[in-house]
Amino acid sequence: MADSILTLTLNRPDRLNAFDRVMHHELGEAIAYAATAPGIRVIVLTGAGRAFSAGGDMSQPPPDIAAFAEEAEDARRIVSGMLDCGRPIVCRMNGDAIGLGATVALLSDVVIAADTARLADPHVRAGLVAGDGGALIWPLICGIMKAKYYLLTGDMVAAPEAERQGLVTRAVPPDDLDRETSRIVSMLLANAPLALKWTKRAINAHMDGYGRLLFEASLACEGLTVMSEDHSEFRRAFVEKRKAGFLGT
């Protein structure tokens, strides 16, 4: 933390900052703290190492119903926390943002991405619904048709193309990432905190009401697929380093 800027770092670089249950829980807590900590005016969210986040850690066993209920509550805290936070969140997207990593990046207010980075939400390739925020945020940013393509195929989009589609704010060479992030943060700090807070609140009102219901529905749909045999098969295949054989069960 320096000068009213709080930096939150996803810090599992040996796993490309993939979310295990601990980091998933801690991110919700960290966002809640950042939203209320005295003296903070801007939050910077980044990843350690060469990735922003590879998404969920598929090396872990699938959750049972009780564990998924806990994960769903953590997902609510992350999504609601980022949307409701009255302080601007700047994503310093230092590398690939996949799955939940992409959702966290896209829920940020400003995304400065290294132009070598990529975004994707490949939940379907793991036999899952993108219910932890992906089905909410992708259509709002890039439109229904593009969102269908990315969420139904799991295809990647490179940062320069993501900038053209409005998925990220800026795509810059990696050597310029810190400079551009600092420039944007300085612009935010120069503005009135209350005006920033309520402007963000007014814009995010697009996601109130129907958007919150959509999130709950998509989270429930993800829960159904978490318990599916297809998802269990994907996790076995991931550990065994082979292609999954989906049967639609």
Side-chain angles (χ1 to χ4, degrees):
M1 181 169 59
D3 297 327
S4 70
I5 303 164
L6 179 63
T7 299
L8 303 179
T9 303
L10 305 177
N11 192 24
R12 297 185 74 216
D14 57 320
R15 299 293 301 170
L16 299 179
N17 302 321
F19 283 87
D20 63 1
R21 291 168 191 170
V22 173
M23 193 167 84
H24 193 239
H25 177 73
E26 288 182 346
L27 180 59
E29 290 192 328
I31 292 167
Y33 169 80
T36 58
I40 301 304
R41 292 190 50 202
V42 175
I43 301 158
V44 175
L45 184 58
T46 192
R50 61 190 178 92
F52 178 72
S53 173
D57 189 342
M58 292 297 162
S59 67
Q60 296 189 322
D64 58 20
I65 293 174
F68 180 76
E70 292 179 6
E71 290 183 13
E73 191 58 37
D74 288 334
R76 289 185 187 93
R77 292 187 70 195
I78 292 169
V79 173
S80 295
M82 293 186 72
L83 293 176
D84 294 339
C85 177
R87 292 156 177 174
I89 301 173
V90 177
C91 177
R92 177 189 175 275
M93 204 180 100
N94 55 299
D96 288 355
I98 310 299
L100 179 57
T103 296
V104 169
L106 296 179
L107 284 168
S108 301
D109 303 306
V110 179
V111 183
I112 311 302
D115 62 9
T116 52
R118 301 166 297 175
L119 292 110
D121 196 323
H123 273 73
V124 289
R125 296 185 181 183
L128 293 172
V129 172
D132 52 3
L136 169 67
I137 196 63
W138 282 76
L140 283 169
I141 294 177
C142 65
I144 293 289
M145 196 57 66
K146 284 288 188 182
K148 283 181 179 179
Y149 172 75
Y150 288 121
L151 296 181
L152 292 175
T153 66
D155 200 7
M156 286 188 168
V157 54
E161 177 60 24
E163 180 181 1
R164 284 189 285 273
Q165 294 186 26
L167 286 161
V168 304
T169 312
R170 298 274 192 277
V172 300
D175 289 346
D176 294 339
L177 187 61
D178 287 335
R179 180 165 53 251
E180 183 65 5
T181 300
S182 295
R183 186 181 74 83
I184 297 295
V185 168
S186 295
M187 292 174 66
L188 293 169
L189 288 173
N191 292 331
L194 282 179
L196 290 174
K197 174 181 177 178
W198 291 107
T199 297
K200 176 176 175 176
R201 188 67 53 84
I203 295 170
N204 283 351
H206 288 285
M207 286 173 269
D208 289 338
Y210 174 75
R212 307 279 178 160
L213 291 174
L214 185 152
F215 172 67
E216 290 297 329
S218 64
L219 195 58
C221 289
E222 182 173 9
L224 294 174
T225 52
V226 163
M227 306 303 161
S228 70
E229 176 56 30
D230 277 348
H231 179 56
S232 294
E233 161 62 8
F234 173 82
R235 284 185 181 258
R236 290 191 296 268
F238 181 85
V239 172
E240 296 166 11
K241 296 181 170 55
R242 61 174 173 83
K243 186 176 180 179
F246 295 133
L247 297 174
T249 58

